[in-house]
Amino acid sequence: MAKEDKVKKVKAKKAKKAALTDDLSSGDAHLNFKKTKSTEKSHKATNQHKVKSPKKESTDFEIADDKRFKEEPNDGDFMPEKKGKKRKRKLESVEGPSTSTALSVPKKKKKKASQEGDGSSGPEKTKKKAESKNKKVKKEEEEHPVAAKKKKKTKEEIEAARALKIKKREEEEQQRWRWWEEEKYEDGVKWKFLEHNGPYFPPEYQPLPDNVKFYYDGKPVKLSLAAEEVALFFAQMLDHEYTTKDVFRDNFFADWRKEMTLEERMLITDLNKCDFGELHAMHREKVEARKNMSKEEKLLIKEANQKILEEYGYCMLDHHRERIGNFKIEPPALFRGRGEHPKQGMLKKRLQPEDVIINCSRDSRIPVPPAGHSWKEVRHDNTVTWLASWTENVQGSCKYVMLNANSKLKGEKDWEKYEVARKLKTCVDAIRAQYLRDLKSKQMGIRQRAVALYFIDKLALRAGNEKEEGETADTVGCCSLRVEHITLHDTLDGDNCVVEFDFLGKDCIRYYNKVPVSKRVFKNLKLFMQNKQEGDDLFDRLNTALLNKHLSSLMPGLTAKVFRTYNASMTLQQQLKELSNPSDNQAEKLLSYNRANRAVAVLCNHQRAPPKTFEQSMANLQTKIESRKEQLALAKKELKQAKKEAKANSDNKLLVVVEKKKKAVQRCEEQLLRMEVQATDREENKQIALSTSKLNYLDPRISVAWCKNMEVPLDKIYNKTQRDKFAWAIDMTELDFAF
DNA sequence: TCAATCACTTAGGATATATTTG
DNA sequence: CAAATATATCCTAAGTGATTGA
C-alpha cells in the first residue's frame, strides 16, 4: 500500500527560497502542551485500533536548577536569512548563551554518571540477586519429582524432558557473564582482548548441470561461469515482483553484462530475449527437494551448520566466549533495495578475503584466511566493536561483523540507551516548555527547530537525516520533510488546525496521520510553506546536526532518537498501568500487555505487510467461531431439555446429566470467547509489527517488573532470544522499577 | 567547515522451525 | 501424519549521529 502513494520524484534540489519575512505577532493563547499531547498521540487515520489513547502523563517534575529554560531566547538580532543551510549554520552557532555547562561534561564520563546512583542499578543488587536465584533452583528441583510421580509414563517422559530443559537453562544461567556487575571501561575502550576465527565465507558457485540450459532468442547458450552465476540469481527471483520492475531489470541487465565475456556481451543484448525457464525450474525443484528431505538428511544439514557455528560463530572477548551476530559473509546476490530503490537489481559481488579487514587483539590468534588467500588488512583497534568489515559494492558503504545482541558490548549499549531516555524524563517538561516558547522566536531557524521538535516529541518521528539523491529511495524523516508531505486543514472532522502527514519513512513505510496541532504550530507551518513549491524542504533552516546540537546542549547525550525511546517506553508503562489488572486471568493480562505493546508500535509506526494468508486464515477462524456458536446454541438447548426432565421427575441420574450439560455449555462458551479474543487480537495486529518496539524501544525493565507484579511468567512475554538479550534487565529489575 | 566516512542501531521481509489442527 | 498456522531466527537494508579530513 505504501507504493500507491508514490511520492513524486523531485529533482529540483533543495532550492532554499524561503521568503522569510515573518512578522511576530505574538497573540496566540499559550498552549497547554500536556493537554494536547497525551490524547492525540497515535491516532492513525488509517488504522483505528482499540487501543486507548495513552493516559495523560503526570509529569510534575520541577526543574529547579536549570536557569537555561527560564531565560527568554532573546535574539533581537533576527534577520531574514535568505540563503541555504550553510549560512544558517554559521549564524546559529553564534547564538546560544547557555550551552557551556552542559557541553563541558565529557561524553564518555556521562555514561557512568547516568548509570550509577540510579535506584535500580548498581552493585548492591548483586548479592540479593544471587540469593534469589538459588532459591529458584531449589524450588524447581523440589517440584519436579512430585509432578512426575503423579503422571503416567508418557507424561513422565515429557516431565523428564522438561526438567532437563530447565536444568539446562539453569546451567546456562550459571555460566552467563554477568557483565552488568562489573566496572566499565572508560574512554571508549571496548575490549582488552579479542580473538576469533574470522568470518565464514559462502561456498563457491556450483555450475549448472549440462541438462539445464539458458536460451537466448530461442537458442541454447552455454554461459561462462561468472555470467551463469549471475543469470541464476535472476532466475531464482523470477517468482518475485522485483523481476517485473523496469529499474530492477535494467540494473540487473547492465551488471550482468559486465560479468559476461566479450562474445556473450555481443550476443546478449536484450533481456526480453532471455529465457531463464530451465534455470528457474531447477531452482524450484531444489527448493521442493529441500522441503521433502528425510529426517536424517535434515539432521545432517543441521549438524553441518552446527559445526560452522561452533567454529565461526563465537569469539573470545575479555575471557568470555561471546556469540557473534553475523559471522557469515553475505553471499553474492542481486541487490534488493526497499521501495523504489534506484539501485535495485544491481549485482552485489562475491567477496574475497582480500576484501575483508580483520580486527582483533594483537596478542590473539590471528584468524587464518581461506587457503590461498590473504586478508585485506589485520588491525587491532579496541575502540570499536567489530571483528571484521568490508566495503559493499552497490552502495559503497561499510559492513561489519559484530557480536550478537546478547553480548556484553551490545547489552551495555542498550542499557545505556535506556538510561539516557530515563534521564530525559527528568527534564522533558523544561524542554517542552522551551520549544513551545521557541515557537514564537524571531529567528526562523529556531522556530523551525521548535516545530520539528514538537513533531518528534509528539509523533515520535525520526530525525530525518539528509540523503544523497538518486542513491536511495526517496524517504524522509522529520527534518527532511518537504512541503508536499503535509497538508494543512483549518478544520477537519471537527478538529481545528489539523496537519495531515503523508510520506514514506524508513524502509519506505508510509506514515499517514491526521493530527490536530496547536494554533501556533499551525501558523508556523503556514509560514514555513509560504512561497515554496513541491520539492522544497519544509524546514529549510534546519537539519539534524543543528537539531541534535541544540538537544545535546539541553541535556548531555540527548538526541532526536532519544525522544522515540522515551515516548515509547513511557507509553508502555502508562498503558500497562491503565489496561492491566492483577485480578485478571493470565490470558487477559497478556492481552493487555499486547495492547500496550501495540500502542507503542502504532506510535512508532511499526508496520508489516499483512501476512499473505491473512484473509484466508481470518475467514477460517470466523467459520470456526460460527460453528462453535451453533454448538453452543445446541448445548444450551440440550441443557434446557435436561433441566426440564430433571424437574419433572427428580431422578439423581438426571441431575448428573444436567451438570454434565452445564459443563459442556460452559466449556463451549469459554472456547468461543477465546476464539473471539484471538480474532480481535489478530485483526488489530494485521499490519502492526510488535517485535521492533519490543526489541528496540521498550525498556525491558518495565516488562520484567510488570511480569513480577502481575505474576506472569516472563517467558510469556519474552522468548529465549529476547530473554538472552535482556538478561541484564531480568537480573537487576526489582518489583518497584519505574522507567 | 561541511561533506564524507565510520560505527553502530533499527527495520521489515524471507526462511526455518515448532506447534496446532484436522 | 500431513497440512495449516504460528513463532523464531536469519538476513541485510536503512536509518542515526559522531568524527574526520580535504
Side-chain angles (χ1 to χ4, degrees), chain A residues 404-423:
Chain A
N404 188 277
N406 65 12
S407 63
K408 170 193 174 178
L409 253 25
K410 295 288 185 188
E412 209 166 61
K413 204 77 188 297
D414 210 34
W415 182 17
E416 206 181 302
K417 171 181 77 185
Y418 290 114
E419 287 309 309
V420 173
R422 289 176 81 199
K423 199 151 133 238

Side-chain angles (χ1 to χ4, degrees), chain A residues 11-26:
Chain A
K11 66 221 78 175
K13 196 37 222 215
K14 347 238 132 149
K16 321 277 99 111
K17 65 189 58 166
L20 314 163
T21 33
D22 61 326
D23 170 310
L24 313 164
S25 46
S26 50

Side-chain angles (χ1 to χ4, degrees), chain A residues 656-670:
Chain A
V656 173
V657 172
V658 170
E659 279 311 304
K660 241 193 204 158
K661 297 284 178 201
K662 241 185 211 163
K663 284 250 172 67
V665 168
Q666 215 177 19
R667 208 172 44 232
C668 228
E669 270 172 344
E670 271 167 23

Side-chain angles (χ1 to χ4, degrees), chain A residues 216-217 249 253 256-257 267-274:
Chain A
Y216 186 73
D217 210 6
R249 294 174 69 87
F253 196 57
W256 186 30
R257 281 171 53 83
L267 175 68
I268 301 169
T269 55
D270 182 0
L271 182 55
N272 294 315
K273 290 184 183 165
C274 293

Side-chain angles (χ1 to χ4, degrees), chain A residues 233-479:
Chain A
F233 293 152
F234 189 80
Q236 285 172 344
M237 287 182 72
L238 240 30
D239 287 327
H240 204 288
E241 201 200 334
Y242 272 120
T243 55
T244 64
K245 294 191 178 176
D246 285 342
V247 180
F248 188 95
R249 294 174 69 87
D250 291 349
N251 284 333
F252 157 71
F253 196 57
D255 276 6
W256 186 30
R257 281 171 53 83
K258 287 180 203 155
E259 299 300 309
M260 291 177 186
T261 62
L262 196 58
E263 301 98 280
E264 284 166 347
R265 200 154 37 233
M266 300 286 276
L267 175 68
I268 301 169
T269 55
D270 182 0
L271 182 55
N272 294 315
K273 290 184 183 165
C274 293
D275 177 1
F276 301 95
E278 289 188 10
L279 316 209
H280 181 57
M282 180 193 76
H283 172 249
R284 285 249 277 246
E285 272 165 36
K286 272 194 179 160
V287 170
E288 193 60 26
R290 212 181 155 72
K291 238 181 8 204
N292 295 330
M293 274 186 312
S294 69
K295 270 211 178 106
E296 296 74 40
E297 288 171 305
K298 279 184 181 165
L299 195 69
L300 228 57
I301 289 183
K302 207 173 167 184
E303 276 166 6
N305 285 332
Q306 201 59 41
K307 230 181 105 192
I308 294 170
L309 177 69
E310 274 306 312
E311 177 155 13
Y312 295 96
Y314 296 87
C315 69
M316 287 305 286
L317 188 136
D318 295 342
H319 311 300
H320 295 271
R321 191 166 185 251
E322 294 259 60
R323 178 86 187 263
I324 301 171
N326 56 327
F327 58 90
K328 288 179 176 167
I329 290 283
E330 294 174 18
L334 301 184
F335 178 74
R336 296 151 94 113
R338 315 256 165 89
E340 298 300 319
H341 197 115
K343 298 196 170 184
Q344 64 187 109
M346 287 175 66
L347 175 63
K348 192 171 73 174
K349 293 207 176 120
R350 181 181 289 275
L351 285 176
Q352 300 299 335
E354 284 73 10
D355 300 314
V356 175
I357 302 173
I358 297 291
N359 190 35
C360 62
S361 284
R362 205 176 288 279
D363 57 344
S364 73
R365 229 177 354 87
I366 307 292
V368 182
H373 286 281
S374 54
W375 303 119
K376 179 177 180 180
E377 185 192 333
V378 176
R379 66 171 77 160
H380 312 288
D381 181 353
N382 74 350
T383 67
V384 296
T385 65
W386 51 269
L387 318 191
S389 73
W390 71 89
T391 302
E392 164 263 7
N393 69 294
V394 175
Q395 317 234 46
S397 64
C398 215
K399 299 234 179 175
Y400 302 91
V401 171
M402 287 186 193
L403 295 189
N404 188 277
N406 65 12
S407 63
K408 170 193 174 178
L409 253 25
K410 295 288 185 188
E412 209 166 61
K413 204 77 188 297
D414 210 34
W415 182 17
E416 206 181 302
K417 171 181 77 185
Y418 290 114
E419 287 309 309
V420 173
R422 289 176 81 199
K423 199 151 133 238
L424 173 56
K425 183 178 165 173
T426 64
C427 54
V428 72
D429 285 351
I431 289 172
R432 285 170 177 167
Q434 165 158 23
Y435 72 63
L436 290 179
R437 276 202 307 276
D438 284 347
L439 254 18
K440 306 176 265 194
S441 169
K442 288 180 187 163
Q443 258 178 270
M444 193 55 145
I446 292 180
R447 279 202 196 194
Q448 294 193 350
R449 191 179 72 196
V451 173
L453 211 37
Y454 177 91
F455 286 164
I456 284 170
D457 185 20
K458 184 183 168 84
L459 305 172
L461 299 190
R462 295 188 185 82
N465 279 318
E466 284 156 282
K467 306 167 72 188
E468 207 168 333
E469 214 163 334
E471 299 292 301
T472 63
D474 179 20
T475 62
V476 298
C478 185
C479 293

Side-chain angles (χ1 to χ4, degrees), chain A residues 110-175:
Chain A
K110 126 211 125 190
K111 126 166 100 180
K112 278 201 145 173
S114 76
Q115 280 168 7
E116 288 160 9
D118 164 79
S120 63
S121 48
E124 333 79 63
K125 299 282 134 76
T126 316
K127 272 167 242 151
K128 216 189 286 177
K129 200 52 245 179
E131 273 168 40
S132 77
K133 187 144 58 115
N134 286 342
K135 241 182 270 163
K136 205 165 59 188
V137 178
K138 231 184 268 164
K139 205 165 145 201
E140 250 138 9
E141 277 168 1
E142 281 164 18
E143 270 168 15
H144 278 285
V146 180
K149 236 178 271 171
K150 269 197 267 183
K151 318 257 156 117
K152 295 187 78 172
K153 247 196 187 150
T154 49
K155 300 214 168 157
E156 227 165 70
E157 277 168 4
I158 293 170
E159 273 307 314
R162 190 186 298 168
L164 202 73
K165 228 185 216 170
I166 287 170
K167 215 169 184 182
K168 221 165 150 192
R169 197 194 277 188
E170 289 296 339
E171 237 161 65
E172 220 168 85
E173 192 56 42
Q174 291 295 304
Q175 49 174 279

